[in-house]
Amino acid sequence: MALELFPSVKETSIMDMDRIMGVLTLKAPTYRQIAEDPNATQLAGIIVAIVTAISGFFNGLSGVGGLFPSGNIVLAIIVAVLGAILGLIGWFVASWVLAFVAKWFGGKTNTQEMLRVTGFVSIFGLVGILNVLALVGLSVVSNCIGFIIAILQIVGYVIGVREAAEFSTGNAIITAIIAGIINAVIQIVLLSIILTPIAIAMGIASGGQ
């Protein structure tokens, strides 16, 4: 029985890697396959949690856009945890909104399908690691690469929405824009609520030293 388990696990891992590569290379059939596979939801969630945590860690290490001193490991860990939490919340909210808006345009999809495709697309977010380059004076390189990856992620996002909803690219773009705006507002509000007390606490701590 145990002998039968290992080939199964290996085949699953290979399939997952093939799907990740398919997403990164913007292969539409791969996005459709992911949307239709209920078993892909768990991996999509893991990808979101890992990517947002890693991105948050390096963002915190670089000082969160200059709001804090760079190189603070404690801050980096806090931002990593918050990033993962907010990332998962945003993932669920954005997927629900995407499914809701997509149905306005005749899309044949649901929240679960959107969770899967958007979760896999978030793999592009690993570019957040490049924030560490800013610490060694290579912020220009980091920004250029980040811009290119951001464009690819947007394209992947639109493909994912289109394949999950089974409608036109135009409808996918409109759906993604509307859902993106709504999700951005929610993320900004949540981030402000969480980071403001931290900033105040760190300011008090710094002032007391």
Side-chain angles (χ1 to χ4, degrees), residues 100-198:
F100 183 76
V101 176
K103 291 176 181 178
W104 287 355
F105 300 97
K108 301 175 182 178
T109 188
N110 54 49
T111 302
Q112 292 297 317
E113 288 188 347
M114 289 300 181
L115 281 170
R116 291 191 279 273
V117 293
T118 57
F120 271 80
V121 169
S122 68
I123 194 71
F124 284 102
L126 281 177
V127 71
I129 294 175
L130 294 175
N131 284 333
V132 74
L133 294 177
L135 299 177
V136 292
L138 295 176
S139 57
V140 175
V141 176
S142 172
N143 291 336
C144 289
I145 297 177
F147 177 75
I148 294 173
I149 297 298
I151 296 299
L152 292 176
Q153 183 169 10
I154 291 172
V155 173
Y157 198 79
V158 171
I159 293 175
V161 171
R162 184 191 68 194
E163 294 302 311
E166 300 181 61
F167 53 23
S168 68
T169 300
N171 284 342
I173 293 174
I174 295 173
T175 298
I177 291 174
I178 295 174
I181 292 173
I182 295 174
N183 188 52
V185 171
I186 294 174
Q187 288 288 324
I188 291 173
V189 171
L190 288 175
L191 196 60
S192 298
I193 292 174
I194 294 174
L195 284 183
T196 298
I198 295 177

Side-chain angles (χ1 to χ4, degrees), residues 40-106:
T41 306
Q42 182 178 8
L43 179 57
I46 292 174
I47 291 174
V48 171
I50 292 176
V51 169
T52 51
I54 292 176
S55 180
F57 178 83
F58 285 102
N59 193 28
L61 201 62
S62 62
V64 193
L67 295 176
F68 302 95
S70 61
N72 189 320
I73 297 297
V74 175
L75 176 64
I77 293 175
I78 292 175
V79 177
V81 173
L82 291 177
I85 294 173
L86 290 176
L88 289 171
I89 293 174
W91 176 50
F92 278 102
V93 173
S95 297
W96 181 84
V97 174
L98 279 170
F100 183 76
V101 176
K103 291 176 181 178
W104 287 355
F105 300 97

Side-chain angles (χ1 to χ4, degrees), residues 16-60:
D16 290 339
M17 286 306 301
D18 287 342
R19 286 180 171 179
I20 289 174
M21 290 306 300
V23 168
L24 291 174
T25 52
L26 306 176
K27 294 181 179 178
T30 300
Y31 287 79
R32 185 65 217 157
Q33 184 185 58
I34 292 171
E36 295 177 341
D37 183 9
N39 296 322
T41 306
Q42 182 178 8
L43 179 57
I46 292 174
I47 291 174
V48 171
I50 292 176
V51 169
T52 51
I54 292 176
S55 180
F57 178 83
F58 285 102
N59 193 28

